[in-house]
mmCIF file of all heavy atoms in Angstrom:
data_model
loop_
_atom_site.group_PDB
_atom_site.id
_atom_site.type_symbol
_atom_site.label_atom_id
_atom_site.label_comp_id
_atom_site.label_asym_id
_atom_site.label_seq_id
_atom_site.Cartn_x
_atom_site.Cartn_y
_atom_site.Cartn_z
ATOM 1 N N PHE A 64 -19.818 27.646 12.598
ATOM 2 C CA PHE A 64 -18.598 26.834 12.576
ATOM 3 C C PHE A 64 -18.548 25.909 11.365
ATOM 4 O O PHE A 64 -17.486 25.671 10.795
ATOM 5 C CB PHE A 64 -18.475 26.021 13.876
ATOM 6 C CG PHE A 64 -17.984 26.820 15.044
ATOM 7 C CD1 PHE A 64 -18.872 27.477 15.890
ATOM 8 C CD2 PHE A 64 -16.632 26.932 15.308
ATOM 9 C CE1 PHE A 64 -18.419 28.219 16.968
ATOM 10 C CE2 PHE A 64 -16.164 27.676 16.387
ATOM 11 C CZ PHE A 64 -17.063 28.323 17.215
ATOM 12 N N SER A 65 -19.706 25.335 10.986
ATOM 13 C CA SER A 65 -19.690 24.401 9.860
ATOM 14 C C SER A 65 -19.288 25.101 8.567
ATOM 15 O O SER A 65 -18.581 24.526 7.728
ATOM 16 C CB SER A 65 -21.057 23.729 9.706
ATOM 17 O OG SER A 65 -22.060 24.688 9.439
ATOM 18 N N PHE A 66 -19.723 26.350 8.385
ATOM 19 C CA PHE A 66 -19.350 27.097 7.186
ATOM 20 C C PHE A 66 -17.824 27.247 7.116
ATOM 21 O O PHE A 66 -17.205 27.023 6.068
ATOM 22 C CB PHE A 66 -20.028 28.471 7.196
ATOM 23 C CG PHE A 66 -19.666 29.336 6.027
ATOM 24 C CD1 PHE A 66 -20.285 29.177 4.801
ATOM 25 C CD2 PHE A 66 -18.678 30.324 6.140
ATOM 26 C CE1 PHE A 66 -19.937 29.969 3.709
ATOM 27 C CE2 PHE A 66 -18.317 31.125 5.067
ATOM 28 C CZ PHE A 66 -18.965 30.943 3.848
ATOM 29 N N ARG A 68 -15.548 25.401 8.730
ATOM 30 C CA ARG A 68 -14.926 24.080 8.574
ATOM 31 C C ARG A 68 -14.950 23.648 7.100
ATOM 32 O O ARG A 68 -13.949 23.178 6.557
ATOM 33 C CB ARG A 68 -15.679 23.040 9.401
ATOM 34 C CG ARG A 68 -15.546 23.185 10.895
ATOM 35 C CD ARG A 68 -14.269 22.599 11.416
ATOM 36 N NE ARG A 68 -14.275 22.629 12.868
ATOM 37 C CZ ARG A 68 -13.214 22.826 13.621
ATOM 38 N NH1 ARG A 68 -12.031 23.022 13.059
ATOM 39 N NH2 ARG A 68 -13.297 22.833 14.932
ATOM 40 N N ASN A 69 -16.106 23.782 6.476
ATOM 41 C CA ASN A 69 -16.236 23.331 5.091
ATOM 42 C C ASN A 69 -15.345 24.147 4.147
ATOM 43 O O ASN A 69 -14.812 23.621 3.166
ATOM 44 C CB ASN A 69 -17.700 23.401 4.649
ATOM 45 C CG ASN A 69 -18.544 22.352 5.352
ATOM 46 O OD1 ASN A 69 -18.056 21.291 5.732
ATOM 47 N ND2 ASN A 69 -19.823 22.648 5.547
ATOM 48 N N SER A 71 -12.436 25.238 4.949
ATOM 49 C CA SER A 71 -11.086 24.675 5.108
ATOM 50 C C SER A 71 -10.952 23.361 4.332
ATOM 51 O O SER A 71 -9.902 23.083 3.741
ATOM 52 C CB SER A 71 -10.756 24.466 6.586
ATOM 53 O OG SER A 71 -11.462 23.376 7.140
ATOM 54 N N LEU A 72 -12.012 22.549 4.320
ATOM 55 C CA LEU A 72 -11.957 21.275 3.603
ATOM 56 C C LEU A 72 -11.773 21.491 2.100
ATOM 57 O O LEU A 72 -11.094 20.703 1.428
ATOM 58 C CB LEU A 72 -13.229 20.452 3.847
ATOM 59 C CG LEU A 72 -13.604 20.090 5.290
ATOM 60 C CD1 LEU A 72 -14.751 19.098 5.314
ATOM 61 C CD2 LEU A 72 -12.423 19.566 6.081
ATOM 62 N N ILE A 80 -7.935 13.899 5.480
ATOM 63 C CA ILE A 80 -7.994 15.157 6.225
ATOM 64 C C ILE A 80 -8.014 14.853 7.717
ATOM 65 O O ILE A 80 -8.763 13.982 8.180
ATOM 66 C CB ILE A 80 -9.255 15.970 5.843
ATOM 67 C CG1 ILE A 80 -9.138 16.463 4.386
ATOM 68 C CG2 ILE A 80 -9.458 17.161 6.793
ATOM 69 C CD1 ILE A 80 -10.404 17.092 3.844
ATOM 70 N N VAL A 82 -8.622 16.901 11.311
ATOM 71 C CA VAL A 82 -9.172 18.155 11.826
ATOM 72 C C VAL A 82 -8.785 18.317 13.296
ATOM 73 O O VAL A 82 -9.021 17.418 14.117
ATOM 74 C CB VAL A 82 -10.706 18.197 11.676
ATOM 75 C CG1 VAL A 82 -11.287 19.421 12.393
ATOM 76 C CG2 VAL A 82 -11.093 18.220 10.198
ATOM 77 N N VAL A 125 -15.254 11.851 14.990
ATOM 78 C CA VAL A 125 -14.634 11.603 13.690
ATOM 79 C C VAL A 125 -13.753 12.801 13.363
ATOM 80 O O VAL A 125 -14.236 13.906 13.145
ATOM 81 C CB VAL A 125 -15.701 11.407 12.591
ATOM 82 C CG1 VAL A 125 -15.028 11.246 11.224
ATOM 83 C CG2 VAL A 125 -16.567 10.200 12.904
ATOM 84 N N ARG A 126 -12.445 12.585 13.320
ATOM 85 C CA ARG A 126 -11.500 13.671 13.040
ATOM 86 C C ARG A 126 -10.549 13.334 11.894
ATOM 87 O O ARG A 126 -9.767 14.168 11.482
ATOM 88 C CB ARG A 126 -10.683 13.994 14.296
ATOM 89 C CG ARG A 126 -11.474 14.598 15.437
ATOM 90 C CD ARG A 126 -12.035 15.967 15.071
ATOM 91 N NE ARG A 126 -12.502 16.655 16.257
ATOM 92 C CZ ARG A 126 -11.737 17.416 17.018
ATOM 93 N NH1 ARG A 126 -10.467 17.602 16.689
ATOM 94 N NH2 ARG A 126 -12.229 17.981 18.089
ATOM 95 N N PHE A 128 -10.555 11.539 8.047
ATOM 96 C CA PHE A 128 -11.481 11.027 7.023
ATOM 97 C C PHE A 128 -10.941 11.313 5.625
ATOM 98 O O PHE A 128 -10.085 12.191 5.427
ATOM 99 C CB PHE A 128 -12.869 11.646 7.204
ATOM 100 C CG PHE A 128 -12.887 13.146 7.307
ATOM 101 C CD1 PHE A 128 -13.052 13.951 6.181
ATOM 102 C CD2 PHE A 128 -12.738 13.774 8.546
ATOM 103 C CE1 PHE A 128 -13.066 15.327 6.283
ATOM 104 C CE2 PHE A 128 -12.751 15.161 8.653
ATOM 105 C CZ PHE A 128 -12.910 15.948 7.518
ATOM 106 N N LEU A 134 -17.987 14.199 2.324
ATOM 107 C CA LEU A 134 -18.143 14.509 3.745
ATOM 108 C C LEU A 134 -18.103 16.016 3.952
ATOM 109 O O LEU A 134 -17.186 16.701 3.507
ATOM 110 C CB LEU A 134 -17.044 13.833 4.564
ATOM 111 C CG LEU A 134 -17.216 12.310 4.719
ATOM 112 C CD1 LEU A 134 -15.963 11.666 5.251
ATOM 113 C CD2 LEU A 134 -18.403 12.014 5.633
ATOM 114 N N GLN A 135 -19.129 16.516 4.659
ATOM 115 C CA GLN A 135 -19.272 17.943 4.933
ATOM 116 C C GLN A 135 -19.761 18.126 6.366
ATOM 117 O O GLN A 135 -20.415 17.251 6.937
ATOM 118 C CB GLN A 135 -20.301 18.574 3.972
ATOM 119 C CG GLN A 135 -19.853 18.642 2.526
ATOM 120 C CD GLN A 135 -18.924 19.821 2.267
ATOM 121 O OE1 GLN A 135 -19.326 20.975 2.381
ATOM 122 N NE2 GLN A 135 -17.685 19.518 1.928
ATOM 123 N N TYR A 136 -19.435 19.273 6.941
ATOM 124 C CA TYR A 136 -19.920 19.606 8.280
ATOM 125 C C TYR A 136 -21.282 20.270 8.200
ATOM 126 O O TYR A 136 -21.606 20.966 7.224
ATOM 127 C CB TYR A 136 -18.941 20.553 8.981
ATOM 128 C CG TYR A 136 -17.729 19.847 9.541
ATOM 129 C CD1 TYR A 136 -16.528 19.790 8.826
ATOM 130 C CD2 TYR A 136 -17.777 19.229 10.786
ATOM 131 C CE1 TYR A 136 -15.413 19.153 9.331
ATOM 132 C CE2 TYR A 136 -16.668 18.580 11.306
ATOM 133 C CZ TYR A 136 -15.499 18.543 10.576
ATOM 134 O OH TYR A 136 -14.402 17.891 11.090
ATOM 135 N N PHE A 137 -22.081 20.055 9.260
ATOM 136 C CA PHE A 137 -23.327 20.803 9.398
ATOM 137 C C PHE A 137 -23.557 21.124 10.874
ATOM 138 O O PHE A 137 -23.034 20.435 11.758
ATOM 139 C CB PHE A 137 -24.520 20.059 8.789
ATOM 140 C CG PHE A 137 -24.833 18.726 9.408
ATOM 141 C CD1 PHE A 137 -25.795 18.615 10.385
ATOM 142 C CD2 PHE A 137 -24.162 17.579 9.001
ATOM 143 C CE1 PHE A 137 -26.097 17.384 10.950
ATOM 144 C CE2 PHE A 137 -24.450 16.353 9.552
ATOM 145 C CZ PHE A 137 -25.427 16.255 10.534
ATOM 146 N N GLY A 138 -24.321 22.203 11.132
ATOM 147 C CA GLY A 138 -24.534 22.704 12.493
ATOM 148 C C GLY A 138 -23.689 23.926 12.750
ATOM 149 O O GLY A 138 -22.471 23.891 12.576
ATOM 150 N N HIS A 141 -20.965 23.093 17.586
ATOM 151 C CA HIS A 141 -20.802 21.659 17.824
ATOM 152 C C HIS A 141 -21.062 20.922 16.512
ATOM 153 O O HIS A 141 -21.790 19.935 16.454
ATOM 154 C CB HIS A 141 -21.730 21.178 18.940
ATOM 155 C CG HIS A 141 -21.468 21.848 20.249
ATOM 156 N ND1 HIS A 141 -20.295 21.692 20.952
ATOM 157 C CD2 HIS A 141 -22.216 22.721 20.970
ATOM 158 C CE1 HIS A 141 -20.331 22.430 22.053
ATOM 159 N NE2 HIS A 141 -21.477 23.064 22.079
ATOM 160 N N GLU A 142 -20.460 21.455 15.473
ATOM 161 C CA GLU A 142 -20.640 20.949 14.118
ATOM 162 C C GLU A 142 -20.141 19.508 13.996
ATOM 163 O O GLU A 142 -19.213 19.099 14.702
ATOM 164 C CB GLU A 142 -19.892 21.850 13.133
ATOM 165 C CG GLU A 142 -18.376 21.844 13.247
ATOM 166 C CD GLU A 142 -17.804 22.603 14.434
ATOM 167 O OE1 GLU A 142 -18.572 23.177 15.238
ATOM 168 O OE2 GLU A 142 -16.573 22.615 14.581
ATOM 169 N N HIS A 143 -20.774 18.728 13.136
ATOM 170 C CA HIS A 143 -20.350 17.355 12.944
ATOM 171 C C HIS A 143 -20.543 16.944 11.493
ATOM 172 O O HIS A 143 -21.332 17.536 10.757
ATOM 173 C CB HIS A 143 -21.072 16.404 13.900
ATOM 174 C CG HIS A 143 -22.565 16.552 13.921
ATOM 175 N ND1 HIS A 143 -23.204 17.669 14.381
ATOM 176 C CD2 HIS A 143 -23.544 15.693 13.523
ATOM 177 C CE1 HIS A 143 -24.515 17.514 14.281
ATOM 178 N NE2 HIS A 143 -24.756 16.341 13.749
ATOM 179 N N LEU A 144 -19.809 15.921 11.115
ATOM 180 C CA LEU A 144 -19.812 15.453 9.734
ATOM 181 C C LEU A 144 -21.048 14.605 9.430
ATOM 182 O O LEU A 144 -21.606 13.955 10.315
ATOM 183 C CB LEU A 144 -18.557 14.617 9.468
ATOM 184 C CG LEU A 144 -17.226 15.375 9.413
ATOM 185 C CD1 LEU A 144 -16.067 14.392 9.567
ATOM 186 C CD2 LEU A 144 -17.096 16.159 8.117
ATOM 187 N N ASN A 145 -21.414 14.581 8.150
ATOM 188 C CA ASN A 145 -22.593 13.821 7.715
ATOM 189 C C ASN A 145 -22.243 12.347 7.482
ATOM 190 O O ASN A 145 -22.555 11.761 6.435
ATOM 191 C CB ASN A 145 -23.175 14.431 6.434
ATOM 192 C CG ASN A 145 -22.146 14.512 5.314
ATOM 193 O OD1 ASN A 145 -20.957 14.642 5.553
ATOM 194 N ND2 ASN A 145 -22.619 14.443 4.061
#
Side-chain angles (χ1 to χ4, degrees):
F64 282 90
S65 61
F66 178 81
R68 291 279 187 215
N69 290 331
S71 73
L72 302 189
I80 292 171
V82 172
V125 176
R126 293 295 194 88
F128 51 92
L134 287 167
Q135 291 280 295
Y136 281 96
F137 61 96
H141 299 295
E142 67 285 0
H143 50 294
L144 289 163
N145 56 331

